[in-house]
Amino acid sequence: MENVKNYNPAKADRTTIINLEKGKLPPQVIDLEEAVLGAMMIDKKGVDEVIDILQPDAFYKEAHKHIFEAIVQLFTETQPIDLLTVSAQLRKNAKLDLAGGDFYLIQLTQKISSSAHIEFHSRIILQKFIQRSLIRISSDIIEESYDETTDVFDLLDKAESKLYEVTQGNIKRSSETAQSLVLQAKKRIEEIANQKGLSGVETGFTKLDAITSGWQPSDLIIIAARPGMGKTAFVLSMARNIAIDYGHAVALFSLEMSSVQLITRLISSETGLSSEKLRTGKLEKHEWEQLSVKVKNLEKAPLFIDDSPSLSIFDLRAKARRLVSQHGIKIIIVDYLQLMTAGGNGKGGGNREQEISTISRNLKALAKELAVPVIALSQLSRAVETRGSSKRPLLSDLRESGAIEQDADIVSFIYRPEYYKIEEWDDDEQSPSAGQAEFMIAKHRNGSLENVRLKFIGNLGKFDNLEDFSGSYDDLPSKMNHDDNPFQSKNLPSPNEAFGSNLNEEEEDDDMPF
């Protein structure tokens, strides 16, 4: 009875409010959601400003998701967007009642008089959506972290992947409609038609670019060869062309050579000074000047080299995401695949074939996730050497070929007859093979299988277009005088000695894990 007498309604209401304030509501801005939707239905300009910023899931209120979805459908079909057409589209989708009915749509249009500041409002809605996404991701990570059966490195990779998606503003949807995908494809085709150059990342090798139209986003490209063929020299020449000639940012992960060794090779290629001179530092005065002048373009090149040894696929994915996010990397190169490990602790589980399968599968997943081409170098087995007649590599020569061949969009080989003391090409013309190489495309998921011949300048560790040279190997480069020409210098190592693989023939064995 005493409690009834002492009851104070005002005090009770205040206590209820205090208790509610102690709770937590997901980040939201319902009033701005209403303003944005109302503005989109009264002003087409508002639709144009917002349609690329928001997506249905960005709206907190369920009714608003359905309304925005209807607006997007009208926009993609180039239909007029207003109160009546949105209502009709919702009715067509059988979601008019879920969206609050016609009365609610009318209320939305009455709450706003113009589309002023609509972009600013939409970005606040997006921020709240990102906050809700971070809360959801964090909750999932906390829950999985308590699960003792969860692999900690898988969890780290998954967490970073989800956070990267939020950073990029690309929260993944489970599926997309054919209509949406067709529109994306048409837009991409129109962009390609209007732009100058190729649809992919140009390599600087004219005939190769003509076949592939450049390395395409999301593709995994395998470049394989025996030691000494010039795999690293090829990707360095290509990286140089992409970074310097076309200005695209390149990420190179080298597990075999140090970053200083790689940049020294690039300096040799760029300056025309032989690797022998650069290694010994025995340069004439004019060569020092030549070095100082010709490395300026290389110094400014958007080229990022990581020489971490025994790099795991999880570390690679984490580093690649950061490089793409921070520096706009357009292509990723890995030298080379068999030196990578699958486990985050540096030790792969299972046998080597399973480990390589995990690595190649993750490289393909990385290419798709970041929408950039990923190039991975690979070793070939000794089967090439044991063949009596042709030394041309085959798909079956790939180590752990089942996994690599299956995951790759392009599998290619580098073949230099000169390495095997074969002086002529095995074609109808029997042309000289000295100073030449062949880039063989053995698998091409979206194109033709062709071979491209390139010039190999061994003393500079450089590949170039064959059609750019008319003289013999010993005459190159024709524009240099006798003193500057590294090919006329005495006591220089042969092309095979100068830029062969660090992994020599004696050290390599098929019984080794790589």
Side-chain angles (χ1 to χ4, degrees):
M1 191 72 177
E2 186 178 348
N3 291 337
V4 174
K5 289 181 180 179
N6 294 333
Y7 176 72
N8 187 329
K11 184 178 180 181
D13 291 343
R14 189 166 60 252
T15 303
T16 303
I17 292 170
I18 291 171
N19 288 337
L20 283 173
E21 288 177 349
K22 288 181 179 179
K24 291 183 179 180
L25 286 173
Q28 54 181 289
V29 276
I30 300 294
D31 53 341
L32 291 186
E33 290 183 10
E34 293 173 346
V36 166
L37 292 173
M40 293 176 80
M41 287 189 284
I42 66 171
D43 190 349
K44 184 183 182 300
K45 182 183 176 185
V47 178
D48 295 334
E49 290 185 16
V50 170
I51 203 73
D52 291 331
I53 299 173
L54 298 175
Q55 57 183 357
D57 286 341
F59 292 86
Y60 178 73
K61 193 171 180 178
E62 197 68 27
H64 295 168
K65 293 180 182 180
H66 299 313
I67 295 169
F68 186 79
E69 199 173 54
I71 291 173
V72 171
Q73 289 172 333
L74 292 168
F75 179 82
T76 55
E77 294 170 4
T78 63
Q79 298 295 320
I81 297 169
D82 55 37
L83 178 63
L84 296 177
T85 56
V86 172
S87 174
Q89 185 64 43
L90 284 166
R91 191 175 286 106
K92 183 180 176 181
N93 296 344
K95 292 182 178 179
L96 182 59
D97 291 337
L98 294 174
D102 288 329
F103 181 71
Y104 186 65
L105 294 179
I106 293 169
Q107 281 186 313
L108 291 177
T109 58
Q110 289 177 340
K111 288 185 176 182
I112 198 79
S113 59
S114 73
S115 64
H117 313 302
I118 188 172
E119 183 180 350
F120 181 75
H121 293 160
S122 67
R123 295 202 180 277
I124 295 176
I125 294 172
L126 183 61
Q127 288 172 19
K128 298 301 178 184
F129 172 51
I130 291 173
Q131 284 179 270
R132 295 198 301 272
S133 300
L134 288 172
I135 291 169
R136 175 179 51 79
I137 291 168
S138 301
S139 299
D140 291 343
I141 293 169
I142 291 169
E143 186 176 345
E144 291 185 40
S145 296
Y146 279 107
D147 186 354
E148 294 294 337
T149 63
T150 302
D151 184 280
V152 67
F153 297 106
D154 287 343
L155 182 58
L156 275 172
D157 185 63
K158 188 187 297 183
E160 185 163 32
S161 178
K162 288 181 177 179
L163 289 172
Y164 177 80
E165 291 166 20
V166 174
T167 303
Q168 297 301 104
N170 295 324
I171 305 301
K172 289 186 179 178
R173 291 169 286 181
S174 57
S175 61
E176 293 186 80
T177 64
Q179 182 186 46
S180 171
L181 293 171
V182 167
L183 287 169
Q184 290 179 41
K186 284 174 63 180
K187 185 177 180 180
R188 174 65 176 158
I189 294 168
E190 288 172 2
E191 289 173 354
I192 293 170
N194 294 330
Q195 73 182 23
K196 295 180 180 179
L198 305 175
S199 59
V201 178
E202 295 166 288
T203 66
F205 301 119
T206 310
K207 290 185 178 179
L208 178 58
D209 285 337
I211 297 168
T212 63
S213 193
W215 300 132
Q216 299 298 313
S218 303
D219 274 5
L220 172 61
I221 301 108
I222 299 295
I223 300 176
R226 287 293 293 157
M229 285 291 156
K231 296 186 299 296
T232 303
F234 176 81
V235 293
L236 281 177
S237 298
M238 181 176 63
R240 180 261 169 220
N241 296 341
I242 295 170
I244 294 179
D245 294 343
Y246 302 108
H248 299 311
V250 179
L252 174 57
F253 294 89
S254 174
L255 289 85
E256 185 181 23
M257 299 179 64
S258 72
S259 54
V260 175
Q261 286 177 315
L262 291 173
I263 208 70
T264 302
R265 280 197 178 195
L266 282 169
I267 290 171
S268 175
S269 170
E270 196 68 11
T271 62
L273 298 171
S274 70
S275 61
E276 174 75 9
K277 287 192 174 185
L278 294 178
R279 279 200 300 266
T280 59
K282 295 178 180 178
L283 303 179
E284 302 293 334
K285 182 180 178 180
H286 70 277
E287 290 174 329
W288 282 111
E289 294 173 357
Q290 185 176 337
L291 175 65
S292 177
V293 171
K294 291 192 175 182
V295 295
K296 292 189 182 299
N297 287 336
L298 187 57
E299 289 174 355
K300 299 174 185 176
L303 178 62
F304 302 85
I305 300 176
D306 186 307
D307 61 357
S308 302
S310 301
L311 189 68
S312 76
I313 185 62
F314 298 109
D315 291 337
L316 172 69
R317 290 180 68 169
K319 290 183 177 186
R321 289 189 192 108
R322 284 192 288 271
L323 284 168
V324 169
S325 177
Q326 295 172 8
H327 302 289
I329 297 296
K330 297 299 181 185
I331 188 167
I332 295 169
I333 301 170
V334 181
D335 182 11
Y336 59 89
L337 188 149
Q338 280 84 2
L339 289 180
M340 294 190 68
T341 61
N345 58 359
K347 297 180 180 179
N351 61 40
R352 185 57 181 165
E353 187 173 349
Q354 291 173 335
E355 194 172 12
I356 289 293
S357 176
T358 299
I359 293 168
S360 63
R361 186 169 62 248
N362 276 275
L363 286 175
K364 175 58 182 174
L366 179 66
K368 288 181 67 177
E369 178 187 341
L370 301 182
V372 298
V374 173
I375 295 177
L377 302 190
S378 176
Q379 289 283 24
L380 292 176
S381 69
R382 279 188 187 273
V384 179
E385 315 292 342
T386 58
R387 281 198 290 270
S389 54
S390 175
K391 301 295 184 182
R392 287 175 176 273
L394 306 170
L395 281 173
S396 58
D397 297 326
L398 268 174
R399 289 186 168 181
E400 297 89 19
S401 62
I404 300 172
E405 184 182 342
Q406 178 181 333
D407 294 324
D409 296 279
I410 296 176
V411 177
S412 56
F413 302 114
I414 297 175
Y415 170 59
R416 291 196 297 117
E418 184 183 18
Y419 182 85
Y420 297 107
K421 307 285 192 293
I422 301 173
E423 297 179 356
E424 295 179 337
W425 288 103
D426 53 355
D427 56 12
D428 295 335
E429 298 179 2
Q430 298 285 299
S431 54
S433 63
Q436 295 184 17
E438 197 164 63
F439 188 88
M440 306 166 59
I441 301 177
K443 176 191 175 183
H444 193 182
R445 187 165 284 162
N446 301 304
S448 59
L449 306 179
E450 296 185 41
N451 298 338
V452 177
R453 288 189 185 169
L454 301 170
K455 192 68 189 176
F456 177 66
I457 309 172
N459 288 325
L460 301 182
K462 178 179 181 180
F463 282 79
D464 214 326
N465 292 301
L466 185 61
E467 56 270 24
D468 291 346
F469 300 93
S470 56
S472 66
Y473 180 77
D474 293 329
D475 294 334
L476 292 172
S478 58
K479 293 182 180 179
M480 291 184 177
N481 60 39
H482 182 83
D483 294 331
D484 294 338
N485 191 341
F487 299 106
Q488 293 175 351
S489 301
K490 296 180 180 180
N491 301 321
L492 288 182
S494 70
N496 293 336
E497 294 170 336
F499 286 96
S501 171
N502 282 1
L503 199 66
N504 60 43
E505 292 296 324
E506 287 72 21
E507 292 173 333
E508 187 184 18
D509 192 286
D510 281 344
D511 294 330
M512 293 178 69
F514 55 88

